[in-house]
Amino acid sequence: MQVFGMQVFLIVLLVAAAAAVLVLQSRSDSVNTARSRSLAAAEAFAHAPGLPRALRSRDPTAALEPLAEGARKGAGIDFITVTDTRGIRITDPQRGLIGKRSMGDLSRALAGHSFTEIFYGAPSDAVRAVVPVTDAGGHVVGLVAAGIEISNVTDLVSRRLPLFLGTTAAALAVATVGAALVSRRLSRQTHGLGPAEMTRMYEHNDAVLHAVREGVLIIGSDGQVLLANDEARRLLSLPPDAELGRVADLGLGEATERLLTRGEAVTDAVHLTGDRLLAVNMRLIRTRAGLGSRVVTLRDTTELRALTGRAEVARERLQLLYDASGRVGTSLDAVRTAEELAEVAVPRFADFVTVDLTEPVLSGGEPGGAFTTMRRAAVRGVRDSEALDPAGTRIEVEPGTPLAQYLASGEPTLEADLPGTYDWRQQDPAGGLRAVAEGFGSLIRMPLTARGVVLGLVSFWRALERDPYEEDDLSFAEELALRAALSVDNARRFTREHTTAVTLQQSLLPHDLPENRALDVAHRYVPARAGVGGDWFDVIPLPGARVALVIGDVVGHGLHAAVTMGRLRTAVHNFSSLDLSPDEILGHLNDLVHSMDEGNSSLGDGTVVTGATCMYAVYESVSGRCTVASAGHLGPALVDPDGTARFPAVPLGPPLGTASLPFETAVLDLAAGSSLVLYTDGLVEERGRDMDVGLELLRTALEEQAGLDTEPREMCRSVFDALSPSHREDDVALLVARTRLLDPSSVADWELDAEDADPAAVATVRSQAARRLSEWGLDEIAFNTELILSELLTNAVRYGTAPIRVRLLHSATLTCEVADSSSTSPHLKRAAAMDEGGRGLYLVAQFAERWGTRYPPHGKIIWAEQLLTGPQAQPQQWSVDLDDLDDLDDLEGLEGPDP
């Protein structure tokens, strides 16, 4: 009954307050309505056309009174009054007031502003609106006041009061009946317990719930929190208004929410919530209505979680070391190894990582001595940072700074509080300030040490948001740095060996090709991306306006391949000086490779050169003939002057050192402007691509460049770019030679048959040669040439076999050739004082730049070359003794000083 009486009292109080509010609200609404109606009527009448003119008329009252009365009745208001600017009424519903001054403050209207107000005064209290009347010039010429008397406004509220009171009484009755029903149900649910008993029971339950060290939650079937004790609020960090809120609205996290709302019992389930590890038990309670609530108990097992956390940290670090062993050192490149170390450590161990390597390490040298210069090899972070110098930055190590001490001692260092310490900033104070400003909190600096030598320094940085580094982290950082240091050292050694091999290989390859007038030559050589190969090429000028083109490949990579390539290239130069044919030169090379393999076998290292290939071609600019021989090498490509590219047939001999078979030659007749292309297999051979496909691509690229009429240098570059694979596994050498033909007017030749082959014919040939030299403008070397020609021709007449051929070639040099059918070879010797002969070749060697003998298929050719300019081209002043010549006939036709 106490609860019921209190409910009835509260209901009566609330209903009375509501009725009062309704009355006041109704009165306010009536006043506002009166204001709006009055203002609308006043503005409508004030803005009526002709009103200013009526105000200035002789009798404005007569003109305006009917209009004002009609407007008042139409608007349903109590009065519309028109006054002049002094406030004197011109019209008014009460005619007795016309001519009297209107009461109240009218200054705002006279200033041109409309307003409404509740007016108290004569003739009656009213809600009125005052609107100024303006003429065309905007001047106020009168005022219009309209309104409703206060008594009429309150009458409207009084008429509504019975309705308000009836409604209030009905609401009071309904609320009283509801309170009675609620009291009856509450008594039934509390089993008839009174307030005292209920209070005592609640106090006992509350004391028990809030005293236990176990969290208790009661959750309804709809997910609403019905009860939460203090321990549950602490463990789950619940807000103060958690009770009667839904579990989904408490922000507990997806896993916790799913655990608390699922409809099944749970026993000692271990669950991580925030930074606490909780043991959860949940039981279901069934009510009479069949709806189930859930009672949840929670125990804090954070200590168990701490043990589990340490085990998890150890597992994560072991996993990180495992990942580092597989991801750091995948390439033999020191910079890439540094980048891999940074990638592994961020973000699992550090927020930022910098790796600095000493300058000798990057170049493959042996680090040692004082550390003065390092290079930043890698930078990585969870975000961009201006505090850390970018990769490639040169770092000067200042003597006496902690950084110099770290490198000298090789000991790691830990800075757990970067903002609060200063020693670590001495190397770069400005960078240290930027790091603190960006939120860097702790630092581990770990020297990269291998074989007792410091190779560089790795710095692990953490931001303030993360836990700072501790002493336990040093051992892990040291293990990580040690693995990276071994990989960096391996990369350094490889770099040193690779640099040595590349330097040796580059020193063995030609740098500048010799100039010649027979061919316009361009070349391109690119080594493999990994290792050093044995590809080489050469252009060797030969006497007689000839040029030798050489290209070869020693299969394999490494220092041995480069050394073998150098030996073979030197041998080719030596054999070329003998002026042998291409097949003979390849035969000598084959014997050399055999002897090299036998020598290596005797040393017991098992190294062989088997697989070396070579192509040797000799081009003669006089005839345009090219003689080619191949030892296992791909045949050349030939681009005709019309732009057609083809692969002429060249006999393919065995690779060098694999067999002792004779090599064959092919003779190609090349027109002027043809392009002979020599290449190694790395250009046309690629993994996953057939050789024939590569050759077809080469032919297409050559024809495209020939159609553009490009120079050999541009053709070489374009062809290489078109065919070079993206990942070169082998060296690539490319040689493009465009042919030229020697002008026939630059060639003079004579032939002596058996009948003409006598000493007397020497003078005739010599005089004809002198005339030809004069035509070529070579008078300065005419004397030397006649002497050389006289000696060579005399020897051929006396010791050779007819027919005898004499040829002069005017090219970059002047070449004198004398050929006969004999295979005997003259030899240079020093004649004794009493010898009658043996001085002729000595004189030839003195006058000529160089001389020699070569053997065509039949007979021999003795040749001598002279420079067209230089000291050798000047006429020599000789005092020639008759005994210095092989025969008196040598003097016939000689011009020059007297013997």
Side-chain angles (χ1 to χ4, degrees):
M1 288 299 294
Q2 294 177 0
V3 175
F4 175 72
M6 185 176 294
Q7 288 179 339
V8 171
F9 173 75
L10 291 176
I11 290 172
V12 171
L13 183 62
L14 291 175
V15 169
V21 169
L22 287 174
V23 171
L24 293 176
Q25 182 65 36
S26 177
R27 179 179 177 83
S28 177
D29 291 344
S30 298
V31 172
N32 290 336
T33 302
R35 285 176 180 268
S36 300
R37 291 174 58 191
S38 300
L39 181 61
E43 288 184 342
F45 193 79
H47 295 106
L51 184 59
R53 187 172 58 253
L55 287 172
R56 293 190 179 96
S57 64
R58 292 183 178 180
D59 190 2
T61 299
L64 295 177
E65 186 176 8
L67 298 176
E69 188 63 18
R72 181 188 69 80
K73 294 179 179 180
I77 57 179
D78 293 336
F79 63 89
I80 293 180
T81 302
V82 180
T83 68
D84 58 13
T85 57
R86 295 171 300 172
I88 304 300
R89 289 185 175 88
I90 297 174
T91 68
D92 195 276
Q94 300 181 24
R95 295 185 62 85
L97 297 177
I98 296 175
K100 295 182 178 181
R101 183 180 298 277
S102 178
M103 303 300 292
D105 183 11
L106 303 177
S107 60
R108 288 180 291 173
L110 292 175
H113 303 291
S114 302
F115 67 92
T116 62
E117 64 179 354
I118 299 177
F119 174 77
Y120 296 99
S124 63
D125 298 339
V127 177
R128 74 174 181 177
V130 182
V131 178
V133 180
T134 58
D135 58 9
H139 299 95
V140 177
V141 297
L143 303 175
V144 175
I148 301 175
E149 295 179 356
I150 293 295
S151 59
N152 293 333
V153 174
T154 56
D155 288 345
L156 179 61
V157 176
S158 299
R159 290 195 297 268
R160 296 178 180 176
L161 187 58
L163 178 61
F164 291 160
L165 294 177
T167 304
T168 302
L172 180 60
V174 172
T176 302
V177 174
L181 294 176
V182 170
S183 298
R184 181 180 177 184
R185 181 173 180 83
L186 180 61
S187 176
R188 185 168 60 250
Q189 289 183 345
T190 58
H191 304 283
L193 294 177
E197 291 85 356
M198 291 289 296
T199 301
R200 186 167 52 255
M201 184 178 66
Y202 173 78
E203 290 175 350
H204 292 171
N205 292 340
D206 186 67
V208 171
L209 285 175
H210 294 288
V212 298
R213 301 304 300 168
E214 215 176 66
V216 178
L217 283 175
I218 299 179
I219 303 173
S221 60
D222 57 352
Q224 187 176 21
V225 179
L226 304 178
L227 183 143
N229 69 344
D230 294 343
E231 185 68 7
R233 293 175 184 272
R234 185 183 70 84
L235 296 178
L236 297 178
S237 300
L238 298 179
D241 58 347
E243 290 181 344
L244 302 181
R246 298 181 61 82
V247 174
D249 300 331
L250 299 179
L252 299 178
E254 183 179 353
T256 304
E257 178 183 337
R258 185 169 56 251
L259 176 66
L260 296 179
T261 56
R262 64 184 182 181
E264 58 185 42
V266 174
T267 301
D268 290 333
V270 179
H271 181 72
L272 182 64
T273 302
D275 58 349
R276 296 185 177 92
L277 195 66
L278 304 180
V280 182
N281 290 273
M282 184 165 60
R283 294 294 181 268
L284 301 180
I285 301 176
R286 293 292 177 180
T287 63
R288 295 178 181 179
L291 300 178
S293 299
R294 292 177 290 279
V295 177
V296 182
T297 60
L298 309 168
R299 289 197 314 277
D300 190 358
T301 58
T302 306
E303 294 181 359
L304 177 61
R305 186 245 180 176
L307 296 175
T308 306
R310 286 195 290 270
E312 180 65 19
V313 170
R315 187 195 66 79
E316 290 178 355
R317 291 189 173 181
L318 287 175
Q319 182 64 38
L320 182 56
L321 288 176
Y322 175 77
D323 294 342
S325 63
R327 294 174 55 187
V328 178
T330 59
S331 65
L332 292 174
D333 183 86
V335 173
R336 180 54 191 157
T337 301
E339 293 173 350
E340 291 170 344
L341 171 60
E343 291 171 359
V344 167
V346 175
R348 289 190 284 177
F349 183 67
D351 294 319
F352 299 90
V353 172
T354 60
V355 183
D356 306 321
L357 300 179
T358 59
E359 291 280 6
V361 171
L362 295 173
S363 59
E366 187 73 29
F371 297 95
T372 59
T373 304
M374 293 196 300
R375 184 79 62 176
R376 180 141 296 173
V379 178
R380 191 172 182 86
V382 294
R383 63 178 186 274
D384 294 335
S385 172
E386 296 182 358
L388 303 178
D389 294 328
T393 302
R394 184 184 178 92
I395 301 174
E396 299 291 341
V397 180
E398 299 295 336
T401 60
L403 179 60
Q405 298 173 6
Y406 303 152
L407 294 174
S409 64
E411 296 295 328
T413 181
L414 168 63
E415 299 288 349
D417 182 18
L418 294 182
T421 55
Y422 301 93
D423 290 345
W424 65 276
R425 309 184 196 177
Q426 294 182 18
Q427 172 65 29
D428 183 10
L433 290 176
R434 291 195 300 270
V436 172
E438 290 189 15
F440 286 37
S442 57
L443 165 67
I444 289 179
R445 278 177 168 163
M446 185 68 61
L448 295 172
T449 306
R451 299 180 296 106
V453 178
V454 177
L455 307 176
L457 182 72
V458 55
S459 301
F460 301 99
W461 309 75
R462 274 188 183 174
L464 290 171
E465 293 81 5
R466 294 183 63 177
D467 295 334
Y469 286 117
E470 300 175 352
E471 291 295 332
D472 292 342
D473 296 315
L474 277 176
S475 58
F476 174 75
E478 186 175 8
E479 180 68 22
L480 192 62
L482 177 60
R483 299 193 180 197
L486 293 176
S487 298
V488 170
D489 189 52
N490 291 335
R492 179 193 63 80
R493 292 186 176 188
F494 172 79
T495 301
R496 181 184 59 188
E497 296 177 0
H498 181 72
T499 302
T500 302
V502 169
T503 302
L504 175 62
Q505 183 194 39
Q506 292 178 349
S507 66
L508 295 176
L509 287 172
H511 297 283
D512 296 320
L513 298 181
E515 296 184 1
N516 67 91
R517 297 186 180 181
L519 294 171
D520 184 7
V521 183
H523 66 92
R524 186 76 180 271
Y525 174 82
V526 178
R529 292 189 183 274
V532 176
D535 291 12
W536 91 93
F537 60 91
D538 241 321
V539 177
I540 305 173
L542 298 177
R546 297 174 304 139
V547 178
L549 301 176
V550 189
I551 194 165
D553 181 7
V554 177
V555 177
H557 297 85
L559 194 61
H560 176 74
V563 171
T564 303
M565 176 270 291
R567 297 173 67 181
L568 292 180
R569 180 170 177 254
T570 302
V572 169
H573 271 268
N574 292 334
F575 293 145
S576 297
S577 64
L578 300 177
D579 215 348
L580 302 175
S581 62
D583 56 332
E584 292 179 300
I585 287 181
L586 292 183
H588 287 297
L589 282 177
N590 189 51
D591 296 338
L592 174 64
V593 172
H594 271 298
S595 64
M596 291 167 59
D597 287 342
E598 291 175 358
N600 291 333
S601 299
S602 64
L603 293 175
D605 61 359
T607 304
V608 295
V609 193
T610 302
T613 65
C614 182
M615 176 176 289
Y616 193 95
V618 177
Y619 173 71
E620 301 179 10
S621 61
V622 176
S623 61
R625 181 174 299 170
C626 183
T627 306
V628 185
S630 173
H633 201 86
L634 293 173
L638 178 60
V639 182
D640 295 326
D642 61 358
T644 303
R646 55 191 175 92
F647 297 96
V650 174
L652 187 64
L656 299 176
T658 59
S660 298
L661 300 176
F663 295 93
E664 301 180 30
T665 60
V667 179
L668 308 177
D669 292 322
L670 308 181
S674 301
S675 295
L676 191 65
V677 181
L678 281 66
Y679 52 91
T680 56
D681 56 359
L683 182 67
V684 295
E685 191 174 33
E686 183 181 0
R687 181 179 298 177
R689 186 178 71 186
D690 191 69
M691 176 74 74
D692 294 337
V693 176
L695 292 174
E696 182 60 25
L697 291 175
L698 174 60
R699 186 189 65 78
T700 302
L702 290 174
E703 289 185 345
E704 290 177 355
Q705 294 303 312
L708 299 176
D709 194 23
T710 56
E711 295 297 322
R713 184 182 299 276
E714 181 64 23
M715 178 182 290
C716 193
R717 185 191 65 80
S718 300
V719 169
F720 183 86
D721 293 343
L723 272 77
S724 178
S726 57
H727 182 76
R728 295 183 299 274
E729 298 180 356
D730 195 6
D731 294 11
V732 178
L734 178 63
L735 198 64
V736 177
R738 183 162 294 174
T739 61
R740 301 190 185 104
L741 289 179
L742 191 62
D743 192 341
S745 62
S746 298
V747 180
D749 51 6
W750 299 270
E751 183 173 348
L752 303 179
D753 55 19
E755 298 178 356
D756 299 330
D758 60 74
V762 175
T764 303
V765 174
R766 190 168 58 225
S767 61
Q768 294 177 356
R771 287 194 295 272
R772 181 55 65 91
L773 292 174
S774 179
E775 294 175 0
W776 291 340
L778 301 179
D779 294 328
E780 293 183 355
I781 61 174
F783 176 82
N784 298 349
T785 304
E786 291 181 41
L787 183 59
I788 292 172
L789 178 61
S790 176
E791 178 57 37
L792 297 182
L793 184 54
T794 299
N795 284 340
V797 169
R798 298 181 65 176
Y799 305 112
T801 303
I804 300 173
R805 294 177 299 279
V806 179
R807 186 168 69 171
L808 293 179
L809 302 177
H810 178 205
S811 181
T813 59
L814 180 65
T815 304
C816 177
E817 296 181 348
V818 177
D820 65 78
S821 301
S822 172
S823 59
T824 59
S825 176
H827 298 282
L828 179 65
K829 65 180 181 179
R830 180 173 294 276
M834 303 303 294
D835 290 343
E836 296 183 359
R839 298 177 179 83
L841 290 181
Y842 179 77
L843 291 175
V844 171
Q846 293 297 319
F847 280 95
E849 176 69 16
R850 59 176 182 161
W851 72 280
T853 305
R854 70 173 182 270
Y855 295 90
H858 302 287
K860 66 178 181 298
I861 298 175
I862 304 177
W863 55 270
E865 279 187 358
Q866 299 178 80
L867 299 178
L868 302 182
T869 58
Q872 290 292 342
Q874 301 301 320
Q876 304 293 322
Q877 301 297 325
W878 286 79
S879 177
V880 182
D881 193 341
L882 296 180
D883 293 334
D884 290 338
L885 302 179
D886 289 343
D887 193 91
L888 292 176
D889 291 336
D890 292 343
L891 298 177
E892 297 182 11
L894 275 174
E895 298 179 0
D898 293 334

Coordinates of all heavy atoms in Angstrom, one line a residue, residues 169-194:
A169 N -8.4 14.8 -15.9 CA -9.1 13.9 -15.0 C -9.1 12.5 -15.6 O -8.9 11.5 -14.9 CB -10.6 14.3 -14.8
A170 N -9.2 12.3 -16.9 CA -9.2 11.0 -17.5 C -7.8 10.4 -17.4 O -7.6 9.2 -17.1 CB -9.6 11.1 -19.0
A171 N -6.7 11.2 -17.6 CA -5.4 10.7 -17.4 C -5.1 10.3 -16.0 O -4.4 9.3 -15.8 CB -4.4 11.8 -17.9
L172 N -5.6 11.0 -15.0 CA -5.4 10.7 -13.6 C -6.1 9.4 -13.3 O -5.5 8.5 -12.6 CB -6.0 11.8 -12.7 CG -5.9 11.6 -11.2 CD1 -4.4 11.5 -10.8 CD2 -6.5 12.7 -10.5
A173 N -7.2 9.1 -13.8 CA -7.9 7.8 -13.6 C -7.2 6.7 -14.2 O -7.0 5.6 -13.5 CB -9.4 7.9 -14.1
V174 N -6.7 6.8 -15.4 CA -6.0 5.7 -16.0 C -4.7 5.5 -15.3 O -4.3 4.3 -15.1 CB -5.7 6.1 -17.5 CG1 -4.8 5.1 -18.1 CG2 -7.0 6.2 -18.3
A175 N -4.0 6.5 -14.9 CA -2.7 6.3 -14.2 C -2.9 5.6 -12.9 O -2.1 4.8 -12.4 CB -2.0 7.7 -14.0
T176 N -4.0 6.0 -12.2 CA -4.3 5.3 -10.9 C -4.6 3.8 -11.0 O -4.1 3.0 -10.3 CB -5.5 6.0 -10.2 OG1 -5.2 7.4 -10.1 CG2 -5.8 5.4 -8.8
V177 N -5.4 3.5 -12.1 CA -5.6 2.1 -12.3 C -4.3 1.4 -12.7 O -4.1 0.2 -12.2 CB -6.7 1.9 -13.4 CG1 -6.8 0.5 -13.8 CG2 -8.0 2.5 -13.0
G178 N -3.5 2.0 -13.5 CA -2.2 1.4 -13.8 C -1.3 1.1 -12.6 O -0.6 0.1 -12.5
A179 N -1.3 2.1 -11.7 CA -0.5 2.0 -10.5 C -1.0 0.8 -9.7 O -0.1 0.1 -9.1 CB -0.5 3.3 -9.7
A180 N -2.3 0.7 -9.6 CA -2.8 -0.4 -8.8 C -2.4 -1.8 -9.4 O -2.0 -2.7 -8.7 CB -4.3 -0.3 -8.8
L181 N -2.4 -1.9 -10.7 CA -2.0 -3.1 -11.4 C -0.6 -3.4 -11.2 O -0.1 -4.6 -11.0 CB -2.4 -3.1 -12.9 CG -3.9 -3.0 -13.2 CD1 -4.0 -2.8 -14.8 CD2 -4.6 -4.2 -12.8
V182 N 0.3 -2.4 -11.3 CA 1.7 -2.6 -11.1 C 2.0 -3.0 -9.7 O 2.8 -3.9 -9.4 CB 2.5 -1.3 -11.5 CG1 3.9 -1.3 -11.0 CG2 2.4 -1.0 -13.0
S183 N 1.4 -2.4 -8.7 CA 1.6 -2.8 -7.3 C 1.2 -4.2 -7.1 O 1.9 -4.9 -6.3 CB 0.8 -1.8 -6.4 OG 1.2 -0.5 -6.5
R184 N 0.1 -4.6 -7.7 CA -0.4 -6.0 -7.5 C 0.7 -7.0 -8.1 O 1.0 -8.0 -7.5 CB -1.7 -6.2 -8.1 CG -2.3 -7.6 -8.0 CD -3.7 -7.7 -8.6 NE -4.2 -9.0 -8.5 CZ -5.3 -9.4 -9.1 NH1 -6.1 -8.5 -9.8 NH2 -5.7 -10.7 -9.0
R185 N 1.2 -6.7 -9.3 CA 2.2 -7.6 -9.9 C 3.5 -7.6 -9.2 O 4.1 -8.6 -9.0 CB 2.4 -7.2 -11.4 CG 3.4 -8.1 -12.1 CD 3.4 -7.7 -13.6 NE 4.4 -8.6 -14.3 CZ 4.0 -9.8 -14.8 NH1 2.8 -10.2 -14.6 NH2 4.9 -10.5 -15.4
L186 N 3.9 -6.4 -8.7 CA 5.1 -6.4 -7.9 C 5.0 -7.2 -6.7 O 6.0 -7.9 -6.3 CB 5.4 -4.9 -7.6 CG 6.7 -4.6 -6.8 CD1 7.9 -5.1 -7.6 CD2 6.9 -3.2 -6.5
S187 N 3.9 -7.1 -6.0 CA 3.7 -7.9 -4.8 C 3.8 -9.4 -5.1 O 4.3 -10.2 -4.3 CB 2.4 -7.6 -4.1 OG 2.1 -8.4 -3.0
R188 N 3.2 -9.8 -6.2 CA 3.3 -11.2 -6.6 C 4.7 -11.7 -6.9 O 5.1 -12.8 -6.6 CB 2.3 -11.4 -7.8 CG 2.2 -12.9 -8.1 CD 1.1 -13.2 -9.1 NE 1.2 -12.5 -10.3 CZ 0.5 -11.5 -10.7 NH1 -0.5 -11.0 -9.9 NH2 0.7 -10.9 -11.9
Q189 N 5.5 -10.8 -7.6 CA 6.8 -11.2 -8.0 C 7.8 -11.2 -6.8 O 8.7 -12.0 -6.8 CB 7.3 -10.2 -9.0 CG 6.7 -10.4 -10.4 CD 7.3 -9.5 -11.4 OE1 8.0 -8.6 -11.1 NE2 7.0 -9.8 -12.7
T190 N 7.5 -10.4 -5.8 CA 8.4 -10.4 -4.6 C 7.9 -11.4 -3.5 O 8.5 -11.4 -2.4 CB 8.5 -9.0 -4.0 OG1 7.1 -8.5 -3.7 CG2 9.1 -8.0 -5.0
H191 N 6.9 -12.2 -3.9 CA 6.4 -13.2 -3.0 C 5.9 -12.6 -1.7 O 6.1 -13.2 -0.6 CB 7.5 -14.3 -2.7 CG 8.0 -14.9 -3.9 ND1 7.3 -15.9 -4.6 CD2 9.2 -14.7 -4.6 CE1 8.0 -16.3 -5.6 NE2 9.2 -15.6 -5.7
G192 N 5.3 -11.4 -1.8 CA 4.7 -10.8 -0.6 C 5.7 -10.2 0.3 O 5.3 -9.7 1.4
L193 N 7.0 -10.0 -0.1 CA 8.0 -9.4 0.8 C 7.7 -7.9 0.9 O 7.5 -7.3 -0.2 CB 9.4 -9.7 0.3 CG 9.8 -11.2 0.4 CD1 11.2 -11.3 -0.2 CD2 9.8 -11.7 1.9
G194 N 7.9 -7.4 2.0 CA 7.7 -6.0 2.2 C 9.0 -5.2 1.9 O 10.0 -5.8 1.6

